[in-house]
Amino acid sequence: MNVVIVGAQWGDEGKGKVVDLLSEHAETIVRYQGGNNAGHTLVVGGKKTVLHLIPSGILHAGKVCLIANGVVFDPEVFFEEIESLVVGGALTQDDASSRIKVSERAHVILPFHRKLDQLREAYAKRSQPDAHIGTTGRGIGPAYEDKVARRGIQVGDLLRPDLLRRKLEGAIFEKNALLKHLYAAHGGEQIDLEEALQVALALGRRLRPFVADARVLLQSAIAHRRPILFEGAQGTLLDVDHGTYPYVTSSSTASGGALTGSGIGLTSLGRSVEVIGIAKAYVTRVGSGPFPTEIEHTEPELAAKLRKVGGEFGATTGRARRIGWLDLVALKYAVEVNGITGIALMKSDVLQGLDAVKVCTAYRLGGNTIYDLPASIEDLENVEPAYEVFPGWDAYDAAKARSRSDLPAEMVAYMDFIERFVGVPIVLMSTGPGRHETLLLKNPFG
Ligand code: IMP
């Protein structure tokens, strides 16, 4: 069996924990989109590790971790992450290059991508304070732009000095014009080709032992029926095609991205694939954009409480996450877009002790009731959520729960309702950050 993990909301659902848990059953773990805009927080044996780029399976000895072609890859962050894993004792330096492989085809984030991302964000914030995206500033958008504009630098190019020089010239040319005419007054210095080339070549020399044709490694795993875990980043509602465009990230976060982002075909895994959608028992969003069930303005005290109890501050940027009730219209949409076969419901413990718990089951728009996520951003900005209200549940000892019947009856009623509404079962309940604070109701690896 193979498993694809996707975020079913706006990211930060707890994918890292689920990937870490399920990695035990996989041999190869693959990151297939996004970059170090992700922040996967893992707590193992009471020790916290935050990963942005390296797959969360790395904490399981012996597992192979691939960074596939769909990722935008920042080599500097990659080396920092390896260093911190080595210092923390999770990895040895020798182990690193045998266990982690980076696709030659992945596109590279260079310092000028980061700079451009930050300049644009600062500019947009000044000129359109309500409409800027609120990116992570990690250069994700500019690197994907270069990729689709066919002027990107790929990991394999870092090992070929002549080709790299030619490609860098192409990548820098337009940016320097932009920096000179639009951003010069805001700190947009010109990019020096020779300097950029030397930086990139030095990164390439360090990267050489990690570079591989990841697709070939994956095909071999498929041919030998070795279980693969595909690790998605961000969430469905941030997908560049299916998310709340333009308030999205620049990659295909939905499960389709696992195919294009790793070089396997629609039928390559046959029937042996499960798609697990990770969803919190409430919803959060960082950055700008519509959020129908947001309670920051309607129930500000509750929002502040849930943010505190749930630790809802970005693992990548430290930004406070916006809080809202569970949105089943959006979750059902995520089930359809991804072909989700099971839900992992995270952080239901954060809601414990509330008198009432709400879930959104429809939207009202212009006097009508609608049951689908509108495609137009304007409509989405104007919908009003319609709620079903459930009695809350008391605190319980999550670590001792072995089956559904060990959970509070009110929580089980809430879970039953979610399953009926979205049409797929809850296969995992997480009730705390640690590996042991998990109830695995059905192992997707079989
Ligand atoms: P970018 O991916 O840095 O370009 O940011 C685009 C949007 O996606 C912004 O609203 C970010 O806050 C959001 N975003 C990107 N990565 C994550 C993530 O891992 N979790 C939650 N939101 C994210």
Side-chain angles (χ1 to χ4, degrees):
M1 189 53 78
N2 304 284
V3 174
V4 182
I5 298 292
V6 289
Q9 294 158 337
W10 275 286
D12 306 318
E13 299 93 350
K15 293 176 291 295
K17 168 172 170 172
V18 179
V19 172
D20 169 60
L21 267 173
L22 296 182
S23 290
E24 188 190 335
H25 309 283
E27 285 195 27
T28 307
I29 297 98
V30 191
R31 259 299 295 273
Y32 55 85
Q33 48 71 228
N36 57 304
N37 46 350
H40 293 168
T41 306
L42 312 164
V43 180
V44 179
K47 198 168 151 205
K48 184 168 152 182
T49 306
V50 182
L51 294 170
H52 300 282
L53 193 54
I54 294 176
S56 305
I58 197 69
L59 297 189
H60 287 266
K63 308 288 173 180
V64 175
C65 292
L66 299 182
I67 297 179
N69 58 281
V71 170
V72 282
F73 178 78
D74 188 327
E76 292 180 40
V77 172
F78 176 70
F79 292 123
E80 277 164 23
E81 221 157 77
I82 289 187
E83 189 58 37
S84 78
L85 285 167
V86 170
V87 170
L91 193 67
T92 65
Q93 203 77 49
D94 290 343
D95 228 15
S97 58
S98 58
R99 286 186 53 205
I100 308 171
K101 293 292 170 197
V102 185
S103 167
E104 290 174 273
R105 288 178 184 264
H107 280 251
V108 180
I109 299 178
L110 288 168
F112 54 79
H113 291 116
R114 284 194 295 267
K115 186 77 192 164
L116 202 57
D117 193 6
Q118 290 158 12
L119 282 168
R120 280 188 184 149
E121 269 295 301
Y123 188 83
K125 227 177 189 163
R126 278 193 304 272
S127 59
Q128 302 167 284
D130 298 330
H132 78 285
I133 306 285
T135 73
T136 58
R138 301 296 192 261
I140 306 298
Y144 275 120
E145 275 171 40
D146 277 358
K147 171 178 173 171
V148 295
R150 293 158 295 187
R151 55 167 182 252
I153 309 293
Q154 291 172 284
V155 164
D157 301 338
L158 301 182
L159 311 180
R160 298 165 190 267
D162 293 337
L163 177 65
L164 182 61
R165 175 184 285 278
R166 278 204 308 279
K167 288 185 84 171
L168 265 178
E169 269 170 355
I172 288 172
F173 168 68
E174 276 184 344
K175 287 185 191 65
N176 269 342
L178 201 63
L179 289 166
K180 182 171 168 193
H181 295 291
L182 196 56
Y183 298 121
H186 306 287
E189 284 164 30
Q190 292 287 284
I191 306 159
D192 181 78
L193 173 64
E194 288 310 319
E195 194 185 319
L197 182 65
Q198 292 317 315
V199 168
L201 284 173
L203 291 169
R205 283 192 290 276
R206 287 180 76 190
L207 209 51
R208 189 177 284 278
F210 296 92
V211 180
D213 190 337
R215 194 197 65 82
V216 172
L217 300 177
L218 260 188
Q219 284 303 331
S220 160
I222 293 171
H224 292 94
R225 295 179 188 279
R226 291 197 295 263
I228 304 166
L229 181 58
F230 294 86
E231 172 178 351
Q234 291 82 48
T236 306
L237 299 169
L238 289 172
D239 184 283
V240 69
D241 285 282
H242 303 290
T244 51
Y245 191 91
Y247 299 98
V248 293
T249 189
S250 302
S251 65
S252 297
T253 60
S255 63
L259 305 179
T260 52
S262 68
I264 61 168
L266 204 52
T267 53
S268 300
L269 303 175
R271 285 170 180 273
S272 46
V273 63
E274 296 280 338
V275 180
I276 305 302
I278 318 298
K280 277 194 286 218
Y282 53 97
V283 182
T284 62
R285 166 160 213 174
V286 268
S288 321
F291 184 178
T293 60
E294 183 169 21
I295 58 168
E296 293 296 336
H297 303 296
T298 49
E299 298 172 82
E301 279 163 25
L302 180 60
K305 178 177 165 188
L306 296 182
R307 183 161 37 249
K308 186 157 175 251
V309 178
E312 298 295 355
F313 297 89
T316 300
T317 57
R319 290 180 290 178
R321 297 176 184 148
R322 298 154 64 192
I323 311 280
W325 291 116
L326 182 62
D327 183 342
L328 289 185
V329 178
L331 188 57
K332 191 158 188 244
Y333 174 82
V335 167
E336 291 170 3
V337 165
N338 293 290
I340 287 172
T341 56
I343 301 275
L345 192 66
M346 315 300 284
K347 287 190 158 178
S348 47
D349 54 308
V350 174
L351 300 182
Q352 71 192 9
L354 298 184
D355 290 338
V357 173
K358 294 186 201 167
V359 290
C360 168
T361 53
Y363 299 141
R364 295 213 181 84
L365 179 67
N368 297 316
T369 301
I370 57 172
Y371 299 92
D372 269 316
L373 195 82
S376 153
I377 196 74
E378 202 170 45
D379 284 348
L380 196 59
E381 273 162 354
N382 288 319
V383 297
E384 289 289 333
Y387 288 116
E388 192 92 12
V389 183
F390 288 83
W393 46 87
D394 292 331
Y396 66 102
D397 190 349
K400 289 212 179 105
R402 292 281 166 275
S403 71
R404 228 169 150 110
S405 56
D406 296 330
L407 300 172
E410 296 83 0
M411 186 191 275
V412 175
Y414 178 76
M415 291 166 64
D416 288 345
F417 185 82
I418 295 172
E419 290 179 326
R420 274 201 307 278
F421 195 99
V422 301
V424 293
I426 294 171
V427 294
L428 184 152
M429 289 283 289
S430 167
T431 49
R435 278 181 184 162
H436 63 287
E437 291 163 299
T438 314
L439 189 58
L440 190 58
L441 299 165
K442 178 175 177 272
N443 185 346
F445 278 103

